[in-house]
Amino acid sequence: MSATLDELASRFDCRVQGDGSISVSRVATLAAATPDAISFLANPLYHDQLATTRAGAVILGAEASELCATPCLVSRNPYAVYARVAALLQPPPAPSAGIHPDASVDPSAKVAASAEIGARAVIGPGASIGDGAVIGAGTVIGSGTVVGAGSRIAPLVSLLDKVRIGLRCIVHSGAVIGADGFGFAEDDGRWIKVPQIGGVIIGDDVEIGANTTIDRGSIEDTVLEDGVKLDNLVQIAHNARVGAHTAMAAMSGVAGSTKIGKRCKVAGGVVIVGHISICDDVMFTFRSVVTKSVTEPGIYGGSLQAMEASKWRRSAARFKQLDAMHERLKRLERK
Amino acid sequence: MSATLDELASRFDCRVQGDGSISVSRVATLAAATPDAISFLANPLYHDQLATTRAGAVILGAEASELCATPCLVSRNPYAVYARVAALLQPPPAPSAGIHPDASVDPSAKVAASAEIGARAVIGPGASIGDGAVIGAGTVIGSGTVVGAGSRIAPLVSLLDKVRIGLRCIVHSGAVIGADGFGFAEDDGRWIKVPQIGGVIIGDDVEIGANTTIDRGSIEDTVLEDGVKLDNLVQIAHNARVGAHTAMAAMSGVAGSTKIGKRCKVAGGVVIVGHISICDDVMFTFRSVVTKSVTEPGIYGGSLQAMEASKWRRSAARFKQLDAMHERLKRLERK
Amino acid sequence: MSATLDELASRFDCRVQGDGSISVSRVATLAAATPDAISFLANPLYHDQLATTRAGAVILGAEASELCATPCLVSRNPYAVYARVAALLQPPPAPSAGIHPDASVDPSAKVAASAEIGARAVIGPGASIGDGAVIGAGTVIGSGTVVGAGSRIAPLVSLLDKVRIGLRCIVHSGAVIGADGFGFAEDDGRWIKVPQIGGVIIGDDVEIGANTTIDRGSIEDTVLEDGVKLDNLVQIAHNARVGAHTAMAAMSGVAGSTKIGKRCKVAGGVVIVGHISICDDVMFTFRSVVTKSVTEPGIYGGSLQAMEASKWRRSAARFKQLDAMHERLKRLERK
């Protein structure tokens, strides 16, 4: 579809600068845009490209707009406006209602007439697929599992038994939701499996990345609240709870029974031990290791950065001697 | 099913305290239990809940039992007893023998009459599926691969060619067993693929987590001995060997040709380099990096914990100067 | 198949030492070889096994050949010769041309007559599968996706919409190529999804490991150049570019928009932040954390190694005091 700048401005609450009758039909980067495209400037790094872009229009902030000769949408939050404009101009394909003849749907499952069930998908006994939901090719929906209206489950996802997915969620390929948690009792050097009989509850508007794993609870449920966003290869262990609107980047993980607050931002590769509590509005920096509860909002973290290898070796060798260095320092101070 | 305390005590070698004729039919947490449920106390953190639980019975240790007014099973290892009671009262669904009409079974594969083959599963040429084994929906079993009796392979697992799975194993969704190891020979800045022609041998009573990867050996086999337990997103590289009853938590990994002993405990996020040897009974702590062989049982590890970010930056800056600090310390001592 | 040493030497440009008429039909380790097998010595660790091997022949370097009584192929690069010999003697099964009757192929897809499409595979609308390509059982090929001639896609891979795979690539099971990148705009404590409308371009001769994830670009494409090799559980975020012949070991990851040069070697567990640039010919050591651009070829990295746990605790405690220690050192120096 296409829209004029005036239409976009009124829909997304922006100010138009320049010719509002210009029509755009797709989004593009400043560097690659052509006159049919609308671009955006959210990162000052790309400011110089404003002068040379061939975009029909640009979305940007008030400050940047002062020097912009291209027609533009001016907003307090240009990146959010861009996201909404892109979704309007280039939406994902609408569900094509119906069950593919090669799908395998248990007679006791309930599939909404407006839902799309892909080729080779398997819908288990008693499962329920809501209005306008999409189940990708080859995806397996377990027994008694519920997929809420408007949710999109990509190909080759495993939603195992008794999982609940809320409204308008997106689950990417390879994600596994509802596998057994890692629970074993030690007995004379052997491991006795602890049955994992809890469920998984996923709120509304949650997005779950490719090959991410969310285990079922051991007795009670593992929970992702509304608006949680998980990237790829994330691990959520049994009984964990992730608060509303918290985002976790790729390769991060939460161990068992840990509770994470609302609106937290967890960078890539961060791991959080089990049985602790993180309050709301905490940010963890790239690749940090969280071993204690956090009770105050703020930024926490720490990982040592790569250095030229020979320099690293010297620092690492001294790290092992740190306590001895401290003793020597104390002795000197006493003199 | 349900059982009386007396029946459970005799079956699992516990002492009954209180009314042994009480019958329970499910397990629950102390906080959520109702009178039809049996609960357990294994973590002293939850001791206070003993006074208020509505559970019909509780499994606990001798010390905790002194103050327990609820009927209880007293054991030296209450968590192991809980695991066994839960498995008795709430067992996984029994295999429903037979091949789903939507499965694809090669005519040369041998499938035991008591095995269950799920919808859209693919069983390759010459594969063999043992008595009472379960192959989940959409799972692919490669050519010549053997799944032992009583093993449960979840939906969407890849067991590639010539993999051997022992008796009573559990393999969770998305696991890939038998992909090529990462072997390349460098030749003038290019990589020549080294054919990976070994197999994968998995012992009895092994559990393998969701989206975990276990590569086939380059020439000989990659081996997991009996009773090994791997969590989700674990990587086992080609030619590695993991000793009996060793457990590895989520996001841990073992590089090529490394041998790990028996009864080791590898915490989450631990990575172990290739071509080393870890003796029996070693524990590695959360997110540690193992780069040398370990020859003595014990606890090893280390990862720096997240701090308030501004504090971290100061320590990290000094870390880079550690060798210089050491030199300055030495100069002072000489004076 | 089998070949004589003379034939192998002429094909792979080696010198024969000893009886060149000896015929071998498989590869094996020095320790396990029998007279029908050819073995190799590339790692000096195994030098002693030369004296006792029962191999019919051995591939090795000039120096080691001086003491070798077994007939041998002498090469400057014995491991690369081994790789080529193994591929000749024990090639993967040739594609068995045709579409399995249980596959689901959209009528608008183009499948070369010489391609093999496995059981339960799903080929989407407008997809194109090249000459001699193999699509594994249960694999899903998205709409408009192209798989180049000679590429082998293992079972249960997700190649989502509009992905391009070059010639002679190998993609292992569970890999997900073309899922949405992790892009959200923050708006009043909520996340607005940024549509991910770019593609993924994979060059020729690329190998991608099991359960590895490569996201589609947000506007433009995510790119892997020719000859890239990725191990298992690797994450490549949206808009990243990995240069030709770069290899990344298991559990490594690249965040969004980062560019990695050619011929880089990234060890296991290395993570690289977003929006940086790594020049050609850089090596990162095991489990390092890369947070800055690298402009000079060389070896970089750093991760602190596991120690005996009580020693670690002492060093880690002092790490937190490092800045204070530095201040104390400065005070002493001033005196």
Side-chain angles (χ1 to χ4, degrees):
Chain A
M1 70 158 288
S2 71
T4 65
L5 276 202
D6 284 337
E7 286 162 358
L8 294 173
S10 106
R11 189 166 190 140
F12 299 126
D13 193 22
C14 306
R15 176 166 65 81
V16 176
Q17 174 179 302
D19 180 357
S21 70
I22 276 190
S23 175
V24 289
S25 59
R26 63 181 194 99
V27 295
T29 60
L30 286 168
T34 45
D36 58 328
I38 185 164
S39 188
F40 72 104
L41 178 70
N43 185 336
L45 269 180
Y46 299 105
H47 193 282
D48 285 357
Q49 301 183 357
L50 261 191
T52 54
T53 187
R54 297 177 55 232
V58 179
I59 306 166
L60 38 55
E63 201 169 350
S65 71
E66 291 173 19
L67 298 155
C68 183
T70 310
C72 52
L73 293 179
V74 185
S75 163
R76 222 174 21 87
N77 190 344
Y79 194 43
V81 171
Y82 164 74
R84 293 181 167 113
V85 167
L88 178 78
L89 297 179
Q90 292 173 264
S96 112
I99 297 174
H100 193 285
D102 290 345
S104 182
V105 178
D106 190 274
S108 67
K110 284 180 212 154
V111 177
S114 58
E116 170 183 341
I117 311 295
R120 305 292 175 206
V122 176
I123 314 291
S128 161
I129 311 298
D131 281 325
V134 176
I135 307 297
T139 279
V140 174
I141 307 289
S143 143
T145 284
V146 175
V147 175
S151 285
R152 290 175 172 259
I153 315 297
L156 294 176
V157 168
S158 302
L159 298 188
L160 300 157
D161 296 352
K162 276 173 261 170
V163 166
R164 295 184 64 90
I165 306 282
L167 308 176
R168 299 172 303 274
C169 291
I170 298 174
V171 181
H172 291 288
S173 294
V176 177
I177 304 181
D180 281 353
F182 196 61
F184 299 91
E186 207 175 354
D187 192 32
D188 278 333
R190 306 281 165 116
W191 297 105
I192 313 296
K193 183 177 176 68
V194 177
Q196 303 291 303
I197 57 186
V200 180
I201 309 285
I202 309 284
D204 299 335
D205 302 300
V206 170
E207 184 158 343
I208 293 170
N211 285 343
T212 280
T213 54
I214 303 174
D215 283 346
R216 64 177 57 254
S218 52
I219 302 192
E220 302 189 305
D221 298 323
T222 303
V223 178
L224 268 58
E225 297 178 3
D226 293 347
V228 166
K229 310 294 180 187
L230 304 183
D231 198 352
N232 299 345
L233 294 167
V234 170
Q235 152 76 356
I236 306 290
H238 53 183
N239 314 318
R241 182 176 199 102
V242 181
H245 312 295
T246 282
M248 297 180 60
M251 302 180 131
S252 56
V254 180
S257 300
T258 282
K259 309 301 174 208
I260 298 185
K262 298 183 198 304
R263 296 173 306 275
C264 291
K265 295 175 184 169
V266 178
V270 171
V271 289
I272 305 176
V273 294
H275 297 276
I276 66 172
S277 225
I278 309 299
C279 68
D280 297 343
D281 299 301
V282 168
M283 178 186 287
F284 291 119
T285 61
F286 197 56
R287 216 351 136 58
S288 45
V289 178
V290 183
T291 56
K292 287 182 180 161
S293 289
V294 174
T295 56
E296 291 291 320
I299 305 179
Y300 300 82
S303 60
L304 294 171
Q305 303 164 15
M307 311 182 200
E308 199 273 308
S310 61
K311 282 187 197 153
W312 174 272
R313 274 194 297 272
R314 285 200 294 272
S315 280
R318 297 306 176 200
F319 177 80
K320 293 191 195 173
Q321 306 162 356
L322 257 185
D323 198 48
M325 277 174 68
H326 183 262
E327 287 308 304
R328 287 158 63 185
L329 185 57
K330 241 165 62 182
R331 265 200 303 275
L332 284 175
E333 286 171 331
R334 268 195 227 108
K335 283 184 194 171
Chain B
M1 71 159 285
S2 70
T4 65
L5 277 202
D6 284 336
E7 285 162 0
L8 294 173
S10 106
R11 190 166 190 143
F12 299 126
D13 194 22
C14 305
R15 176 166 65 80
V16 176
Q17 174 178 301
D19 180 359
S21 70
I22 275 189
S23 177
V24 290
S25 59
R26 63 181 194 98
V27 296
T29 59
L30 286 168
T34 45
D36 59 326
I38 185 164
S39 189
F40 71 104
L41 179 71
N43 184 335
L45 270 179
Y46 299 105
H47 194 282
D48 286 357
Q49 300 184 359
L50 260 192
T52 54
T53 186
R54 296 176 55 231
V58 179
I59 305 167
L60 38 56
E63 202 169 348
S65 73
E66 289 173 21
L67 297 156
C68 184
T70 309
C72 53
L73 292 180
V74 184
S75 162
R76 223 174 21 84
N77 190 344
Y79 194 44
V81 171
Y82 165 74
R84 293 181 167 112
V85 167
L88 179 77
L89 297 179
Q90 292 173 262
S96 109
I99 297 173
H100 193 286
D102 290 344
S104 182
V105 179
D106 190 272
S108 67
K110 283 180 213 156
V111 177
S114 57
E116 169 182 341
I117 310 295
R120 305 291 175 206
V122 176
I123 315 291
S128 161
I129 311 297
D131 281 325
V134 176
I135 307 298
T139 278
V140 174
I141 307 290
S143 144
T145 284
V146 175
V147 176
S151 285
R152 290 174 172 261
I153 315 298
L156 294 176
V157 168
S158 302
L159 298 186
L160 301 157
D161 296 352
K162 277 173 261 170
V163 166
R164 296 185 63 90
I165 305 282
L167 308 175
R168 297 172 306 273
C169 291
I170 299 174
V171 181
H172 290 288
S173 295
V176 177
I177 304 182
D180 282 353
F182 195 63
F184 300 91
E186 205 174 353
D187 193 31
D188 278 332
R190 305 283 166 115
W191 298 106
I192 313 296
K193 182 176 176 68
V194 178
Q196 303 290 303
I197 58 185
V200 180
I201 309 284
I202 308 283
D204 299 335
D205 301 301
V206 170
E207 185 158 343
I208 293 169
N211 285 343
T212 279
T213 55
I214 303 175
D215 282 347
R216 65 176 56 253
S218 51
I219 302 191
E220 301 189 306
D221 298 322
T222 303
V223 179
L224 267 58
E225 296 178 4
D226 293 346
V228 166
K229 310 295 180 186
L230 304 182
D231 199 351
N232 299 345
L233 294 167
V234 170
Q235 151 77 353
I236 306 291
H238 54 181
N239 314 317
R241 182 176 199 103
V242 181
H245 311 296
T246 282
M248 297 180 61
M251 303 180 130
S252 56
V254 180
S257 300
T258 282
K259 309 301 173 208
I260 298 185
K262 298 183 199 306
R263 296 173 306 275
C264 291
K265 294 173 185 169
V266 178
V270 171
V271 290
I272 304 176
V273 294
H275 298 276
I276 66 171
S277 224
I278 309 298
C279 67
D280 297 343
D281 299 302
V282 167
M283 177 187 287
F284 291 119
T285 61
F286 196 59
R287 210 2 130 56
S288 45
V289 178
V290 183
T291 57
K292 288 183 179 160
S293 290
V294 174
T295 56
E296 291 290 322
I299 305 179
Y300 300 82
S303 61
L304 295 171
Q305 303 164 14
M307 308 183 203
E308 200 272 309
S310 60
K311 283 186 196 155
W312 174 272
R313 274 194 297 272
R314 285 199 295 272
S315 281
R318 297 307 175 197
F319 177 81
K320 293 191 194 170
Q321 306 163 355
L322 257 184
D323 198 48
M325 277 175 68
H326 183 260
E327 286 310 303
R328 287 159 63 185
L329 185 59
K330 241 165 62 184
R331 264 200 304 275
L332 283 176
E333 286 170 333
R334 267 194 228 110
K335 284 185 195 170
Chain C
M1 71 158 286
S2 70
T4 66
L5 277 201
D6 284 336
E7 287 162 359
L8 294 173
S10 105
R11 190 166 190 142
F12 300 125
D13 194 23
C14 306
R15 177 167 65 80
V16 175
Q17 174 178 302
D19 181 357
S21 72
I22 276 189
S23 175
V24 289
S25 59
R26 64 181 192 99
V27 296
T29 60
L30 286 168
T34 47
D36 58 326
I38 185 164
S39 189
F40 71 104
L41 178 71
N43 184 335
L45 269 180
Y46 300 105
H47 194 282
D48 286 356
Q49 300 183 356
L50 260 192
T52 53
T53 185
R54 296 176 55 232
V58 179
I59 305 166
L60 37 57
E63 202 170 347
S65 72
E66 290 174 19
L67 297 155
C68 183
T70 308
C72 51
L73 293 179
V74 184
S75 164
R76 221 175 23 84
N77 190 343
Y79 194 44
V81 172
Y82 164 74
R84 293 181 166 111
V85 168
L88 179 76
L89 298 180
Q90 293 173 261
S96 112
I99 296 173
H100 193 287
D102 290 343
S104 182
V105 178
D106 190 273
S108 67
K110 284 180 211 153
V111 176
S114 58
E116 170 184 341
I117 311 295
R120 305 290 174 207
V122 176
I123 314 292
S128 160
I129 312 296
D131 281 324
V134 176
I135 307 297
T139 279
V140 174
I141 308 290
S143 144
T145 283
V146 175
V147 175
S151 286
R152 290 175 173 259
I153 315 298
L156 294 176
V157 168
S158 302
L159 298 187
L160 300 157
D161 297 352
K162 276 173 259 168
V163 166
R164 296 184 63 91
I165 305 283
L167 307 175
R168 299 173 303 275
C169 292
I170 298 174
V171 182
H172 291 288
S173 295
V176 177
I177 305 182
D180 282 353
F182 196 62
F184 299 91
E186 207 174 353
D187 193 31
D188 277 332
R190 306 281 164 116
W191 297 106
I192 313 297
K193 182 175 176 69
V194 177
Q196 302 290 303
I197 57 186
V200 180
I201 308 285
I202 308 283
D204 299 335
D205 301 301
V206 171
E207 184 159 343
I208 294 169
N211 285 344
T212 280
T213 54
I214 303 174
D215 283 345
R216 65 175 57 251
S218 51
I219 301 193
E220 302 190 302
D221 297 323
T222 303
V223 178
L224 268 58
E225 297 178 4
D226 293 347
V228 166
K229 311 295 180 186
L230 304 183
D231 198 352
N232 299 345
L233 294 167
V234 169
Q235 153 76 353
I236 306 291
H238 52 182
N239 314 319
R241 181 176 199 104
V242 181
H245 312 295
T246 282
M248 297 180 60
M251 303 179 129
S252 56
V254 180
S257 300
T258 281
K259 309 301 172 208
I260 297 185
K262 298 183 199 305
R263 296 175 305 277
C264 291
K265 295 174 185 169
V266 178
V270 172
V271 289
I272 305 176
V273 293
H275 298 275
I276 66 172
S277 222
I278 309 298
C279 67
D280 297 343
D281 299 302
V282 167
M283 177 185 289
F284 291 118
T285 61
F286 196 59
R287 217 349 137 59
S288 44
V289 177
V290 183
T291 56
K292 288 181 179 160
S293 290
V294 175
T295 56
E296 291 292 319
I299 306 179
Y300 299 81
S303 61
L304 295 171
Q305 304 164 15
M307 310 182 199
E308 200 271 310
S310 60
K311 282 186 196 155
W312 174 273
R313 272 193 299 271
R314 285 199 294 273
S315 280
R318 296 307 176 199
F319 177 81
K320 294 190 194 172
Q321 306 163 355
L322 258 184
D323 197 49
M325 277 175 67
H326 184 261
E327 287 309 303
R328 287 160 62 185
L329 185 58
K330 240 165 62 184
R331 264 200 303 274
L332 283 175
E333 286 170 333
R334 268 195 227 109
K335 285 184 193 171

